Amino acid sequence: MKQVFQNLKSGTVRVTEVPAPLVRPGFVLVRTAASLISAGTERLTVEAGQKSLIGRAVEQPALVKQVIQKARSEGVGHTIDAVRSKLASLIALGYSAAGTVTEVGNEVTDLRPGDRVACAGVGYASHAEVISVPKNLCVRLPDDVSFDAGAFGTLGAIALQGVRLAELTLGESVVVIGLGLIGQLTVQLVRAHGCRVFGIDLDQTKIELARKFGADGFAPEDDVRQRVMDWSKGRGADAVLITASSQSSQPVELAGEISRPKGRVVAVGAVGLTLPRQPYYNRELTFKISMSYGPGRYDPEYEERGHDYPFGYVRWTEGRNMEAFVDLLAENRIDVESLITHRFKLAETEDAYKLITGERNEPYLGVVLQYDTERELEPRIQLSAKQPAAASPASNVRIGLIGAGNYARAMLLPNFKTANAEFRSISSASGVSARQVGERFGFRSCVSGANEILADEEINLVVIATRHDSHAELSRLALESGRHVFVEKPLALNDEELDRVIAAAIKSKGQLMVGFNRRFSPHARAAQEFFRERQTPLSINYRVNAGRVPPDHWAHDPREGGGRIVGEVCHFMDFIQFMTGSLVTRVFAESISSGSHQVIAEDSVFITLRLADGSNGSIAYLAEGNSALPKERIEIFGAGKAFLIDDFRNAAAYENGREKKTKLREQDKGQADEVRAVCAMVREGKASPISLESLANTTRATFRIRESLRTGLPVEV
């Protein structure tokens, strides 16, 4: 399918062929008929992407600080690679569209294939032939509302939420500052609310358009104060809605000067927010900032996971705001046809963006992209015509990658490339990153989903780097097809998933490997060799300065991420297994207790391990520290010796009263050597670098840690 992107490095906008997305639980697939370019928001996005690196750095000092901190802790080389990877990204543009539902995922009961819908959401309702949209961000479009009009649904919801926050009553006098798309919709909504409207804008043509929609007062911005007072019979505005887009605080200042005592001011557009004390204090004004489409915005539970707010308690969510707006369209109480100044075919998108960025010097307002809904879409897109060399051995590593996130781009693929693996096919949830990453690393094709990967008989290693909830099932399917599997941690999220994967691995001709990379690091191997001749157990203390992850992050979702103990502590369990050469037999864990909703208790946990050989271990996984402290520190004691690893960059061995230090140029957590071991597994027919018994034990032990936290007791593994 075709989709519109901006290249983050060059700033250019282009239409690119990418695989169509697959349906997910709680989502619907929509064949787009029309989408609306939001002239204000998208113009700012495109212009920001066209700035130089220095310009971007000046505007985002916090990100610069993060880059500097990363360079200090992980080394300059790793940091440069990470920055380059980020700059190579493509940004999907668009967030307001309309079309026809083609497929619905599990948990979707109120929409069916064939339904006409209006769709919302950055990253969802993009300018693309097929979009995957959460069910709460789709509303049915009445049959007598065109797709072009339905594409205004998101902007209509934004305008409507601003009107709701203004708490208007019949007959009030309302001023709208800024008469762009949102402003013109606001004028119409205020009129539909039974209020008088005064419109303010620098552009006389927009003022004339507002008059058409019922504004009975109007003025350019430089001649407004006395006109508003005259229009409001000397009282001032009951409410002021700021729908302008400006870095200046002048609209906020003006709103304070033209409001009546006890009036209301609502900022809908992105404007400066320096409030002048005197007018706001003297009139005791109420000032509110409208949060986009309405309640539910920026809440992953509502937007991504489909948990709607109870109707009786939250009457107007962002979805219900969209629904109300399209109902007004059906009743002909809102006119969007008069707002459309340009229509472009999808192939003409570059001209459309030249228009909104000013490269085409002509006036515009509503810019609609239109799509050929009958065009046949290909599930596989050829990226490279290059064929493998005829002499390429049958045992060579031929990769099919499922998932193309940050870790795959920054770590896995560069290391597989260095190991001379062949990149065959790549898929991702949206198709966007599959195209982008596929081109960058020389994959032969990008495809719509895992089934296309498994259908390619030439692939002999399936690499799985998706979100956690799909690891077990994808691994099982790949193993049952006879392929070797390298899956990022965790292997599974519960015992049932784990049992199915292990059963498939036992029967499969392929080998299973999980991305527990730390055991392959130079310092880990040196530590193991240091204690090779020991006859007594080890005691290992592993401290992790993990840092906070926001409570609403997908990693915390029990169905999608499984929590950080299952998702990350498995790394440190595997390291301790590697050092002792023994399995975990018992775990005990205690977490902090906090009354703060920002603190996840089990993200700061002390874990005690007992191993089969008599060794013991402790893992201090702590989220409430500070990023200036290096992330990982390991202390290993036994046989009258000790070994210290500091963040996989520095190490020290202690023996016979002497200290021997080792320092690497760059942090090395073992990813490169791990990949080489996986490639050797495929090429030479070797067993997996980590035994099935160990993989299962590590994963199962993380489940028992959570059980120990629930019960407060030690738990056998």
Side-chain angles (χ1 to χ4, degrees):
M1 71 169 190
K2 296 183 183 298
Q3 184 165 352
V4 180
F5 298 102
Q6 182 183 30
N7 184 292
L8 192 58
K9 185 175 182 180
S10 66
T12 56
V13 175
R14 63 173 181 168
V15 179
T16 303
E17 192 84 29
V18 298
L22 297 178
V23 70
R24 297 159 51 190
F27 281 62
V28 300
L29 290 187
V30 177
R31 186 69 188 256
T32 310
S35 61
L36 179 68
I37 296 179
S38 175
T41 303
E42 292 192 56
R43 176 176 55 80
L44 293 175
T45 300
V46 171
E47 289 176 349
Q50 292 173 341
K51 291 182 179 178
S52 66
L53 282 178
I54 294 175
R56 296 182 211 179
V58 169
E59 291 186 351
Q60 302 181 76
L63 288 179
V64 175
K65 187 176 180 180
Q66 289 178 23
V67 170
I68 293 172
Q69 182 63 45
K70 186 178 180 70
R72 287 173 177 166
S73 63
E74 299 182 19
V76 175
H78 284 314
T79 304
I80 290 174
D81 288 343
V83 171
R84 284 175 176 166
S85 177
K86 185 68 176 176
L87 287 175
S89 299
L90 298 175
I91 300 174
L93 298 174
Y95 61 90
S96 190
T100 303
V101 174
T102 59
E103 191 174 354
V104 301
N106 295 335
E107 304 170 15
V108 178
T109 58
D110 53 348
L111 291 169
R112 295 184 177 87
D115 285 347
R116 304 170 76 252
V117 290
C119 309
V122 175
Y124 302 124
S126 306
H127 302 309
E129 290 184 291
V130 179
I131 52 179
S132 177
V133 187
K135 63 180 182 180
N136 282 347
L137 298 182
C138 280
V139 299
R140 279 196 182 88
L141 198 61
D143 290 339
D144 52 354
V145 176
S146 70
F147 286 123
D148 284 9
F152 280 78
T154 308
L155 273 71
I158 293 170
L160 185 52
Q161 177 63 11
V163 170
R164 295 199 192 287
L165 290 180
E167 299 178 351
L168 306 181
T169 59
L170 188 70
E172 285 192 308
S173 299
V174 181
V175 174
V176 178
I177 301 177
L179 298 175
L181 269 181
I182 300 290
Q184 299 291 346
L185 292 171
T186 300
V187 166
Q188 297 185 63
L189 290 168
V190 171
R191 288 291 296 158
H193 213 79
C195 298
R196 303 173 65 231
V197 185
F198 190 105
I200 300 172
D201 200 280
L202 293 173
D203 188 333
Q204 189 63 40
T205 60
K206 292 179 180 177
I207 290 174
E208 292 302 319
L209 186 57
R211 287 182 65 187
K212 173 185 173 181
F213 293 140
D216 51 7
F218 41 87
E221 199 169 335
D222 59 353
D223 182 23
V224 68
R225 293 163 184 81
Q226 190 57 47
R227 290 198 187 188
V228 170
M229 296 308 294
D230 293 342
W231 171 78
S232 62
K233 302 176 184 177
R235 299 186 178 104
D238 294 296
V240 180
L241 288 152
I242 304 171
T243 54
S245 177
S246 171
Q247 294 182 349
S248 168
S249 296
Q250 198 273 334
V252 173
E253 296 168 4
L254 174 60
E257 294 170 2
I258 61 179
S259 293
R260 68 163 171 86
K262 309 285 187 181
R264 291 98 64 196
V265 178
V266 178
V268 179
V271 293
L273 295 176
T274 303
L275 293 180
R277 174 176 171 76
Q278 207 61 33
Y280 280 78
Y281 174 80
N282 288 346
R283 295 176 173 84
E284 200 175 24
L285 302 178
T286 299
F287 181 80
K288 296 180 180 179
I289 300 175
S290 181
M291 194 172 71
S292 198
Y293 329 150
R297 187 71 181 108
Y298 306 114
D299 179 0
E301 290 298 321
Y302 177 91
E303 292 192 327
E304 295 179 17
R305 296 167 196 141
H307 298 149
D308 201 357
Y309 300 153
F311 183 85
Y313 294 91
V314 185
R315 176 62 182 90
W316 296 110
T317 61
E318 55 183 316
R320 293 194 270 271
N321 274 338
M322 286 179 62
E323 183 180 52
F325 181 77
V326 298
D327 284 345
L328 289 170
L329 290 175
E331 295 165 7
N332 294 318
R333 299 174 68 187
I334 301 292
D335 174 13
V336 296
E337 185 62 35
S338 298
L339 300 177
I340 300 174
T341 58
H342 294 78
R343 288 180 169 89
F344 292 92
K345 300 298 183 185
L346 184 60
E348 303 168 331
T349 296
E350 291 183 29
D351 290 334
Y353 279 90
K354 287 178 182 178
L355 177 71
I356 69 167
T357 57
E359 291 182 58
R360 285 177 52 170
N361 188 22
E362 60 181 280
Y364 66 90
L365 194 57
V367 180
V368 172
L369 296 180
Q370 296 180 318
Y371 299 75
D372 177 3
T373 58
E374 301 301 320
R375 194 178 86 89
E376 187 174 348
L377 307 180
E378 291 291 334
R380 180 179 295 271
I381 297 168
Q382 207 68 24
L383 299 178
S384 171
K386 183 179 178 181
Q387 299 293 323
S392 177
S395 61
N396 199 21
V397 180
R398 298 182 296 279
I399 290 176
L401 175 65
I402 306 173
N406 290 333
Y407 189 78
R409 294 195 298 264
M411 286 294 176
L412 296 181
L413 292 176
N415 286 317
F416 273 114
K417 186 173 184 178
T418 300
N420 294 317
E422 293 178 15
F423 295 150
R424 299 280 304 192
S425 294
I426 178 172
S427 73
S428 64
S430 66
V432 176
S433 53
R435 172 75 192 232
Q436 172 194 341
V437 177
E439 285 185 333
R440 178 182 170 194
F441 287 96
F443 277 85
R444 291 180 61 195
S445 63
C446 57
V447 297
S448 290
N451 289 339
E452 295 289 330
I453 297 286
L454 298 180
D456 187 341
E457 296 182 357
E458 292 297 316
I459 290 171
N460 57 12
L461 175 64
V462 176
V463 178
I464 301 167
T466 56
R467 288 190 178 184
H468 301 167
D469 58 328
S470 59
H471 285 188
E473 181 64 8
L474 290 173
S475 297
R476 182 185 67 81
L477 291 172
L479 287 165
E480 288 178 350
S481 72
R483 317 299 172 85
H484 299 294
V485 173
F486 175 79
V487 57
E488 263 310 309
K489 53 80 188 169
L491 176 57
L493 297 187
N494 55 56
D495 287 296
E496 292 75 16
E497 288 184 354
L498 179 60
D499 290 342
R500 288 194 291 269
V501 175
I502 297 300
I506 292 171
K507 297 177 181 177
S508 178
K509 296 178 182 178
Q511 296 285 333
L512 173 64
M513 172 63 180
V514 180
F516 297 140
N517 52 276
R518 283 158 176 79
R519 65 163 62 206
F520 295 93
S521 67
H523 287 329
R525 294 198 303 268
Q528 188 192 51
E529 178 63 24
F530 185 65
F531 289 103
R532 185 168 60 86
E533 302 296 334
R534 69 182 175 90
Q535 300 297 316
T536 56
L538 294 177
S539 293
I540 303 173
N541 180 42
Y542 203 131
R543 189 270 296 151
V544 186
N545 178 35
R548 279 188 183 181
V549 171
D552 58 1
H553 191 275
W554 66 266
H556 292 301
D557 182 71
R559 293 192 305 175
E560 191 172 18
R564 298 176 77 187
I565 288 174
V566 173
E568 189 173 13
V569 170
C570 53
H571 263 314
F572 320 123
M573 304 280 286
D574 176 76
F575 180 91
I576 291 173
Q577 275 200 36
F578 170 69
M579 286 304 308
T580 60
S582 186
L583 300 179
V584 178
T585 61
R586 187 178 66 193
V587 301
F588 176 67
E590 288 190 297
S591 67
I592 63 170
S593 178
S594 172
S596 171
H597 292 293
Q598 295 300 310
V599 175
I600 307 296
E602 69 174 36
D603 282 6
S604 290
V605 58
F606 285 99
I607 303 163
T608 303
L609 311 175
R610 171 66 64 184
L611 291 103
D613 73 338
S615 296
N616 61 42
S618 68
I619 300 173
Y621 186 81
L622 309 170
E624 299 301 309
N626 188 275
S627 61
L629 177 70
K631 182 180 178 182
E632 297 173 44
R633 182 182 177 92
I634 310 164
E635 297 171 327
I636 309 167
F637 304 89
K641 301 189 289 186
F643 199 95
L644 171 69
I645 299 175
D646 244 338
D647 219 25
F648 294 95
R649 198 169 184 184
N650 302 309
Y654 300 88
E655 184 179 18
N656 300 324
R658 296 183 179 181
E659 177 190 60
K660 181 181 179 181
K661 292 185 176 181
T662 307
K663 183 174 183 178
L664 305 177
R665 287 187 59 191
E666 300 275 353
Q667 183 185 68
D668 189 343
K669 291 185 179 180
Q671 288 95 343
D673 283 342
E674 174 190 51
V675 164
R676 280 192 282 270
V678 171
C679 289
M681 175 186 81
V682 178
R683 289 188 178 113
E684 302 167 26
K686 292 184 176 180
S688 172
I690 307 177
S691 71
L692 274 181
E693 185 181 32
S694 178
L695 293 176
N697 180 259
T698 294
T699 306
R700 213 176 295 279
T702 62
F703 306 155
R704 302 293 86 83
I705 291 170
R706 300 195 71 183
E707 185 178 338
S708 178
L709 288 174
R710 288 193 299 271
T711 63
L713 299 171
V715 180
E716 301 296 320
V717 179

